[in-house]
Amino acid sequence: HRCGSLQVATQVIRTRRMARNSGGARRQRRPGAQFSRTGGFTLVELAVVLVLIGLLVGVMLLGNGVLTQSRIKFVANEFEQLKVAILTYQDRYGALPGDDARATTRWVGRSKDGTGDGRISGSYQDPPPAGNPLTALTVDAVSGESLNFWWQIRLAELVTAPPPVITPVAQPLNAFAGVVGVEWAVFGFPRLAACTANLPGEIAIGVENQLDDGDPRRGLVRAAKQNVDNEPIATADATVTAYATGDADMYILCRRLD
């Protein structure tokens, strides 16, 4: 009887050991099984990643659109503000800024007279001279007044003056490093026009549509396609009938100011 009981106890111990070993084996396999399940992305995880990518792309596109509209509005407003400044100068002093022949009596020792012929000489992109413009700037019926324009209109405090390290006759630049200047009788305009250069096609289209009729050859706003940065209007392509928006396309836009 004792032998039988011993055999039964031995069998129970063996059974328990086998159960423990089996459980341990199962527990040892679990990490491997878990690793195999987490080695790749599930469909849910992939869906979340795709949604996040879509949101980021949408935000970037929206941001680019907002920036473009902001730049279009800035260029258009710059044209309008310049027109108001010119009209204010004419109303106040009875002369066209840059051509004002009485500037030296008004701003003694810090200005230069224009010719007083009712026109503006020079081109929108003329480089400002180095040194003191009192001695370095030549103003006559052929050149100089498109630069003197900025000097006189700044002395009248109608536009913001540049920092002291920059000559007061220098033209401002737009967001595309394009010169903002004035030129007489360009694109068939009978009088003065404000011009801004290096505008990408999408900006030029937006400004044109905001201020005029969308045609680059007629109306209050006209354009020429540039071949190089800040190109003279005389050498730019003024035959364009529509704006292009390629990466290399840029335009000079001029707005009639009278």
Side-chain angles (χ1 to χ4, degrees):
H1 178 73
R2 284 197 301 268
C3 290
S5 298
L6 182 60
Q7 290 176 353
V8 171
T10 302
Q11 184 65 33
V12 169
I13 291 172
R14 287 177 178 174
T15 302
R16 288 180 177 176
R17 285 179 177 174
M18 291 176 62
R20 282 198 301 268
N21 292 338
S22 177
R26 284 196 298 271
R27 284 193 297 271
Q28 291 172 359
R29 285 196 298 270
R30 281 173 188 165
Q34 184 179 6
F35 178 80
S36 65
R37 287 197 302 271
T38 59
F41 291 108
T42 65
L43 290 178
V44 173
E45 289 168 336
L46 287 174
V48 171
V49 170
L50 291 175
V51 169
L52 290 175
I53 291 174
L55 289 174
L56 288 173
V57 170
V59 169
M60 291 174 62
L61 292 175
L62 179 62
N64 288 338
V66 171
L67 180 60
T68 297
Q69 290 304 314
S70 175
R71 286 175 169 173
I72 289 170
K73 183 176 292 187
F74 184 85
V75 173
N77 288 344
E78 197 168 41
F79 276 150
E80 297 308 300
Q81 290 167 5
L82 199 53
K83 180 180 179 180
V84 170
I86 291 170
L87 293 176
T88 302
Y89 191 101
Q90 289 178 307
D91 183 63
R92 186 185 296 174
Y93 304 119
L96 192 63
D99 184 57
D100 188 350
R102 296 185 299 275
T104 54
T105 63
R106 193 176 305 114
W107 300 293
V108 179
R110 55 195 185 105
S111 63
K112 215 160 192 181
D113 287 334
T115 62
D117 63 358
R119 299 169 60 90
I120 295 292
S121 63
S123 301
Y124 86 96
Q125 86 297 336
D126 284 344
N132 188 340
L134 284 172
T135 56
L137 179 64
T138 300
V139 178
D140 54 32
V142 177
S143 64
E145 288 185 334
S146 61
L147 295 172
N148 200 35
F149 168 91
W150 291 104
W151 198 3
Q152 292 185 353
I153 210 169
R154 285 165 175 156
L155 286 168
E157 298 182 347
L158 295 175
V159 298
T160 303
V165 295
I166 298 177
T167 175
V169 303
Q171 308 97 320
L173 300 179
N174 59 32
F176 309 98
V179 170
V180 180
V182 294
E183 192 164 339
W184 189 265
V186 294
F187 296 136
F189 292 141
R191 294 178 61 82
L192 189 64
C195 301
T196 184
N198 296 3
L199 297 183
E202 60 182 1
I203 303 296
I205 292 170
V207 175
E208 171 81 47
N209 289 335
Q210 184 168 330
L211 297 179
D212 203 23
D213 58 3
D215 189 333
R217 296 184 300 171
R218 66 181 185 185
L220 294 175
V221 177
R222 300 179 187 179
K225 190 173 182 180
Q226 296 173 234
N227 301 301
V228 295
D229 285 353
N230 298 314
E231 184 175 5
I233 293 173
T235 60
D237 181 9
T239 65
V240 292
T241 59
Y243 296 100
T245 58
D247 291 340
D249 296 312
M250 58 182 178
Y251 297 87
I252 308 164
L253 227 60
C254 294
R255 195 247 196 253
R256 181 174 172 172
L257 294 176
D258 60 329

